Amino acid sequence: MSFVYGRWSCAHNVLMVDAAVSEWRDPERVLSYLDRADGFPHRAEGESVLLEQIHRDAGRVLDLGTGDGRLLALLKRDRPEIVGVGVDFSGVMLDAAHKRFASDERVELVQHDLVEPLPALGRFDAVISSFAIHHLEHDRKRSLYGEVFDLLEPGGVFANFEHVASPTHRLHLAFFEAIEEPIENEDPSDRTLDVHTQLEWLRALGFDDVDCYWKWLEMALLVGVKPPRDALPR
């Protein structure tokens, strides 16, 4: 999630999106975001619901768009034995994550842009993400969800804590007012999408128990479970 990276201009949208993405490589901008991350309204509520969805016996967890490793760190507070793999394209963010996990040999950090297909990372009992996938074009979102399904172990959980589109412009404005961010500062790299469409994608890809498990305005937790082995088609 990002709300501080310049105005949208239809005449120069491609250049502005490139500039917005490059902000995540700017140490000053990244630090500014990280300073505010804990203060987003209701964020802790959504994160706590996400953590509840991860099985206590989960062995390997993949964090897509891990940033500074915030979500993995929350998961490992009471489950230190989990092996975590964090993926992010920003070297600045990954530097912060390396510092966070400097003494934890059970965390691997991989630099990779989610615009491209995921590299070979192995299999996982859970895949999590926080405010990252909404930056992708919609077709790429859907294909990434399919990649997540393929690398999950049977019974594995996909939990995406995401910035989603509002159903009306008034609610969109209300969200920015609630987070105390001028609408003029809306991130041009955001590609938000409604909850319903994304849930339908997950169902079509084969996930079970698909639902929006928590929501506040444009923040939503989308969850799907890969069917157990005996329920998968042969």
Side-chain angles (χ1 to χ4, degrees):
M1 181 189 295
S2 55
F3 309 103
V4 292
Y5 300 130
R7 299 188 179 191
W8 181 265
S9 168
C10 291
H12 304 286
N13 58 347
V14 174
L15 291 176
M16 294 194 73
V17 168
D18 288 345
V21 171
S22 71
E23 297 281 5
W24 294 111
R25 299 187 175 96
D26 183 321
E28 183 177 347
R29 292 293 191 179
V30 168
L31 290 175
S32 175
Y33 169 78
L34 294 178
D35 285 343
R36 295 190 59 200
D38 289 341
F40 287 128
H42 303 286
R43 181 172 189 167
E45 296 174 20
E47 289 172 337
S48 67
V49 178
L50 183 153
L51 297 178
E52 291 171 0
Q53 311 314 311
I54 309 305
H55 300 310
R56 302 294 305 185
D57 59 352
R60 298 188 79 230
V61 176
L62 173 64
D63 184 8
L64 298 175
T66 192
D68 70 336
R70 170 195 172 91
L71 195 57
L72 269 181
L74 290 175
L75 183 62
K76 287 176 69 69
R77 278 183 183 176
D78 63 343
R79 307 173 213 195
E81 298 305 310
I82 281 178
V83 174
V85 177
V87 173
D88 204 286
F89 82 97
S90 170
V92 180
M93 283 290 197
L94 289 174
D95 285 345
H98 277 292
K99 292 177 182 177
R100 182 190 291 273
F101 297 116
S103 61
D104 191 341
E105 297 181 352
R106 292 180 174 271
V107 174
E108 177 187 359
L109 299 171
V110 178
Q111 188 163 17
H112 177 77
D113 193 333
L114 295 179
V115 169
E116 302 296 332
L118 293 175
L121 297 169
R123 307 277 287 187
F124 295 90
D125 301 298
V127 176
I128 59 178
S129 188
S130 178
F131 304 126
I133 296 174
H134 71 277
H135 289 295
L136 302 175
E137 299 294 342
H138 297 338
D139 286 349
R140 177 58 189 142
K141 289 184 182 75
R142 193 183 190 285
S143 61
L144 177 61
Y145 290 168
E147 292 168 26
V148 168
F149 184 88
D150 289 341
L151 58 80
L152 277 172
E153 296 283 3
V157 176
F158 177 41
N160 182 21
F161 188 30
E162 188 59 291
H163 181 193
V164 298
S166 286
T168 68
H169 184 61
R170 186 186 67 80
L171 287 175
H172 181 56
L173 296 176
F175 174 65
F176 274 79
E177 181 178 358
I179 65 172
E180 300 181 350
E181 188 69 45
I183 190 64
E184 292 82 3
N185 287 356
E186 184 172 6
D187 187 346
S189 71
D190 283 350
R191 296 290 184 267
T192 56
L193 184 63
D194 64 279
V195 168
H196 174 77
T197 298
Q198 296 186 71
L199 296 182
E200 286 300 301
W201 285 351
L202 294 175
R203 294 186 183 104
L205 287 165
F207 284 97
D208 278 346
D209 298 331
V210 172
D211 204 352
C212 177
Y213 283 48
W214 179 93
K215 189 175 187 296
W216 176 76
L217 295 177
E218 292 187 1
M219 297 164 63
L221 174 61
L222 314 179
V223 177
V225 179
K226 187 169 183 175
R229 194 178 304 279
D230 58 5
L232 291 172
R234 297 181 182 276

